[in-house]
């Protein structure tokens, strides 16, 4: 189980990095979302995911079985998923707004806030 | 309850300013009152911590390694106090500021969530909680970046988002791995676990990953490009708050994790951090030397000054940590004040670019004086706050025979002085390119008052540095001590 998870995480990270390095705005956003899933899986992995014993104290006993799963990383990962989801929604809207205003989804064309210099020694003047 | 106030008051103010009817003065009033209440609570908290020592709250009254803990030691309380001072000054400055009138109803709630999340990061004593507050900080800044709604704002927000999201994901992975290895999230519990020999080989790797995340968020070389790409699109009061605080928050967490919680001292890690600090210092200051737009010059100086903080952390002694903390006090206030002064230059002379302004020494002698106070502080001319901060760091570096590091830090200081004299010569000394009358547009008096108040504080911290240095030394006297918990 751990090995499967490890291989999955490395695959997901590879896919995420590949997409994030793209010049296409939306591929970048999807890439970051995929990387976020990898991070979530890493958190998930920290809580003995291979255990088949649920983290429940049986009636009549007062302690968890020794090899029971750890529920805390699952709570943590839920928080992280929710935050990541909100940020993904924001990023998609932001990407849509940028493409609509500039007419391109090439991130190399995003020079409005940092205009290219037309003088060899001095930067361009930023007009407000 | 007192420990929670630096987070509850701004969160309350954020909700209040969001719910109040769309009446400008009413919202601004509520917002400013919130900041003043925060300032009062931060003062009381600081006094309490200074007298009684560390204050902490375990949420839900659970026993400690399990409850989420928020704690204020002297370092946290002092930084919360500085955050509150800065928040009040910025909101005072913003009261009649034209640039932000069109910003829409989101401005004040977002400013307060930003204050709440910075305060909470300073107080967090739990690794996952720290991550959550960093996320709130990211969300607040993204909201502030897109408020303008123009193409340049959105592009800046995207650049900020892409890099900081990466940092956040690195941090989340590091938190997961640290929990997997140590089985704890609470700082005190981690401190006890960190010394165990079976973790000795794994811990530096996981902490290194967290280090990478915070280096990105602190804008260290080579991961700083997002900062000068995005900050200058913010309206000036927001820029002062964001530029003054955020990267310093990440530097604080670096200091806390390396010197207090994990106390890792593998030489290679500290050497790498020190060299990174040197490159960050030099690259930042060279970037500033190239630029002519006031906001971009100062944004590159933010990067450069982070180098000094990392330099102090890399020295790995209580004295180095004390220097770092004093430098942090100094840098938050001075950098924010310089951004606010850049806004006054814009309001008086009509532009942020030094090629389009001038004549301010004649038209605005008071502004020139205020600029000189902060500029000398940033460059480190005695007896200013920057001088004492650099003095503490350099004394420790030379005591440890790091002569090369000390030399680089001094050279970067000289280049900072070059940059400040460029602003002085171009903005204040030379005549305005459009004639003498172009440099004297009316400026809101409250904005002057806010800058004046901060300048007085900076002046006082420079002329009477002893109590502030003693505070920094007391706050860090247990840092870098193995098993000092």
């Amino acid at each position: 189980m751990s090995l499967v998870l490890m291989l999955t995480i490395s695959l997901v990270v590879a896919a995420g990095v590949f997409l994030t390095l793209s010049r296409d705005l939306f591929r970048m956003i999807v890439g970051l979302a995929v990387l976020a899933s990898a991070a979530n899986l890493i958190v998930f992995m920290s809580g003995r995911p291979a255990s088949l014993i649920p983290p429940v104290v049986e009636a009549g006993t007062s302690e968890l079985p020794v090899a029971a799963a750890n529920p805390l990383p699952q709570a943590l990962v839920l928080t992280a998923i929710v935050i990541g989801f909100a940020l993904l929604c924001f990023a998609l809207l932001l990407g849509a707004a940028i493409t609509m205003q500039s007419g391109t989804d090439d991130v190399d064309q995003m020079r409005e806030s940092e205009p290219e210099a037309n003088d060899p020694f001095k930067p361009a003047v930023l007009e407000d | 309850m007192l420990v929670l106030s630096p987070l509850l008051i701004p969160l309350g103010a954020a909700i209040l300013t969001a719910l109040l009817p769309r009446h400008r003065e009413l919202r601004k009033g509520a917002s400013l009152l919130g900041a003043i209440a925060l300032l009062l609570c931060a003062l009381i908290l600081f006094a309490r911590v200074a007298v009684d020592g560390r204050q902490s709250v375990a949420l839900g009254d659970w026993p400690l390694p399990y409850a989420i803990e928020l704690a204020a030691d002297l370092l946290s309380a002092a930084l919360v106090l500085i955050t509150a001072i800065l928040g009040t000054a910025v909101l005072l400055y913003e009261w009649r500021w034209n640039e932000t009138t069109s910003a829409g109803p989101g401005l004040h709630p977002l400013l307060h969530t930003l204050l709440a999340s910075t305060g909470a990061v300073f107080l967090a004593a739990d690794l996952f909680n720290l991550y959550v507050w960093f996320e709130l900080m990211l969300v607040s800044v993204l909201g502030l970046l897109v408020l303008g709604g123009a193409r340049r704002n959105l592009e800046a927000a995207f650049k900020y988002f892409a890099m900081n999201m990466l940092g956040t994901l690195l941090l989340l992975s590091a938190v997961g791995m640290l929990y997997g290895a140590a089985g704890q999230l609470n700082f005190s519990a981690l401190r006890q676990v960190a010394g165990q020999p079976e973790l000795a080989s794994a811990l530096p790797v996981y902490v290194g990953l967290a280090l990478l995340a915070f280096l990105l968020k602190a804008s260290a070389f080579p991961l700083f490009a997002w900062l000068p790409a995005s900050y200058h699109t913010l309206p000036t009061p927001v820029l002062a708050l964001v530029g003054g605080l955020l990267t310093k928050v990440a530097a604080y967490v670096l200091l806390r994790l390396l010197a207090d919680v994990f106390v890792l001292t593998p030489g290679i890690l500290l050497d790498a951090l020190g060299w990174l600090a040197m490159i960050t210092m030099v690259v930042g200051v060279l970037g500033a030397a190239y630029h002519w737009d006031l906001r971009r010059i100062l944004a590159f100086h933010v990067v450069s000054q982070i180098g000094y903080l990392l330099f102090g952390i890399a020295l790995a002694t209580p004295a180095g940590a004390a220097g770092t903390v004093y430098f942090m006090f100094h840098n938050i206030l001075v950098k924010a004040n310089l951004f606010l002064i850049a806004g006054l230059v814009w309001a008086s002379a009509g532009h942020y670019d030094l090629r389009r302004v001038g004549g301010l020494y004649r038209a605005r002698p008071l502004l020139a004086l205020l600029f000189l106070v902060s500029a000398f502080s940033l460059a480190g001319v005695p007896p200013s706050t920057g001088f004492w901060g650099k003095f503490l760091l350099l004394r420790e570096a030379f005591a440890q025979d790091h002569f090369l590091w000390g030399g680089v830090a001094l050279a970067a200081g000289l280049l900072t002085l070059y940059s400040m004299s460029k602003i002085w010569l171009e903005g204040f000394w030379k005549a305005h390119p459009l004639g003498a009358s172009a440099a004297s547009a009316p400026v809101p008096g409250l904005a002057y008052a806010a800058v004046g108040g901060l300048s007085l504080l900076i002046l006082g911290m420079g002329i009477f540095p002893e109590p502030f240095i003693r505070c920094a030394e007391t706050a860090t006297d247990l840092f870098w001590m193995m098993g000092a918990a």
Side-chain angles (χ1 to χ4, degrees), chain B residues 149-284:
Chain B
R151 187 177 154 194
R152 47 191 266 158
N153 300 98
L154 301 180
E155 288 185 1
F158 187 77
K159 291 171 186 174
Y160 189 94
F161 166 79
M163 283 307 276
N164 278 279
M165 185 72 185
L166 210 59
T168 296
L169 295 176
L170 286 173
L171 172 59
L172 181 60
S173 316
V175 170
M177 290 178 187
L178 280 170
Y179 180 71
Q184 300 288 354
L185 289 168
N186 184 276
F187 283 177
S188 316
L190 280 171
R191 199 174 293 142
Q192 281 161 11
V193 176
Q196 288 175 4
E198 62 263 31
L199 285 177
S201 60
L203 215 49
V205 180
Y206 300 150
V207 175
L209 195 62
L211 199 70
L212 193 60
F214 287 113
L215 283 176
L216 194 159
K217 283 178 179 287
S219 77
F221 179 86
L223 300 169
F224 64 87
W226 54 272
L227 189 149
S230 58
Y231 273 18
H232 62 279
T233 63
L234 288 166
T236 315
V238 183
L239 174 61
L241 190 62
V242 170
L245 269 179
L246 290 203
T247 48
K248 270 60 105 187
V249 176
Y252 154 80
V253 179
L254 276 175
L255 180 67
R256 176 71 82 192
L257 290 187
L258 282 181
D260 188 24
V261 178
F262 293 107
V263 199
L264 290 173
T265 45
I268 186 162
L269 196 76
L270 296 170
D271 272 353
L273 193 65
W275 285 112
L276 265 184
M278 295 305 126
I279 306 175
T280 308
M281 251 180 235
V282 173
V283 170

Side-chain angles (χ1 to χ4, degrees), chain B residues 26-219:
Chain B
L26 197 64
R27 284 183 170 211
K28 289 197 172 192
S31 181
L32 188 59
L33 273 183
I36 291 170
L38 174 63
L39 182 58
L40 288 178
C41 281
L43 269 173
I44 299 170
L45 178 65
F46 182 75
R48 176 74 69 81
V49 171
V51 175
D52 297 342
R54 187 175 186 268
Q55 307 281 313
S56 90
V57 172
L59 294 179
D61 268 344
W62 279 18
L64 243 186
Y66 306 108
I68 292 173
E69 189 190 12
L70 289 155
D73 58 5
L74 199 57
L75 176 56
S76 305
L79 287 169
V80 165
L81 181 59
I82 288 190
T83 308
I85 293 173
L86 192 56
T88 314
V90 162
L91 286 172
L92 204 64
Y93 183 95
E94 200 267 341
W95 188 272
R96 292 213 176 278
W97 196 250
N98 291 328
E99 222 181 345
T100 47
T101 39
S102 58
L107 178 71
H108 286 279
L110 286 169
L111 282 176
H112 277 286
T113 49
L114 186 62
L115 286 175
S117 52
T118 28
V121 168
F122 289 141
L123 296 172
D126 179 289
L127 213 48
F128 194 79
N129 202 232
L130 186 81
Y131 154 78
V132 173
W133 292 116
F134 258 98
E135 291 279 30
L136 180 63
M137 201 187 290
L138 174 61
V139 170
S140 311
V141 179
L142 284 175
L144 290 167
L145 277 167
V146 298
L147 271 185
R151 187 177 154 194
R152 47 191 266 158
N153 300 98
L154 301 180
E155 288 185 1
F158 187 77
K159 291 171 186 174
Y160 189 94
F161 166 79
M163 283 307 276
N164 278 279
M165 185 72 185
L166 210 59
T168 296
L169 295 176
L170 286 173
L171 172 59
L172 181 60
S173 316
V175 170
M177 290 178 187
L178 280 170
Y179 180 71
Q184 300 288 354
L185 289 168
N186 184 276
F187 283 177
S188 316
L190 280 171
R191 199 174 293 142
Q192 281 161 11
V193 176
Q196 288 175 4
E198 62 263 31
L199 285 177
S201 60
L203 215 49
V205 180
Y206 300 150
V207 175
L209 195 62
L211 199 70
L212 193 60
F214 287 113
L215 283 176
L216 194 159
K217 283 178 179 287
S219 77

Side-chain angles (χ1 to χ4, degrees), chain A residues 9-28:
Chain A
I9 291 173
S10 26
L11 265 179
V12 174
V13 169
V17 169
F18 176 75
L19 284 171
T20 310
L21 291 177
S22 163
R23 271 171 59 183
D24 183 310
L25 192 72
F26 286 97
R27 279 191 180 216
M28 255 187 94

Side-chain angles (χ1 to χ4, degrees), chain B residues 318-331:
Chain B
T324 312
V325 169
Y326 183 81
F327 198 87
M328 207 180 292
F329 294 164
H330 138 78
N331 200 232

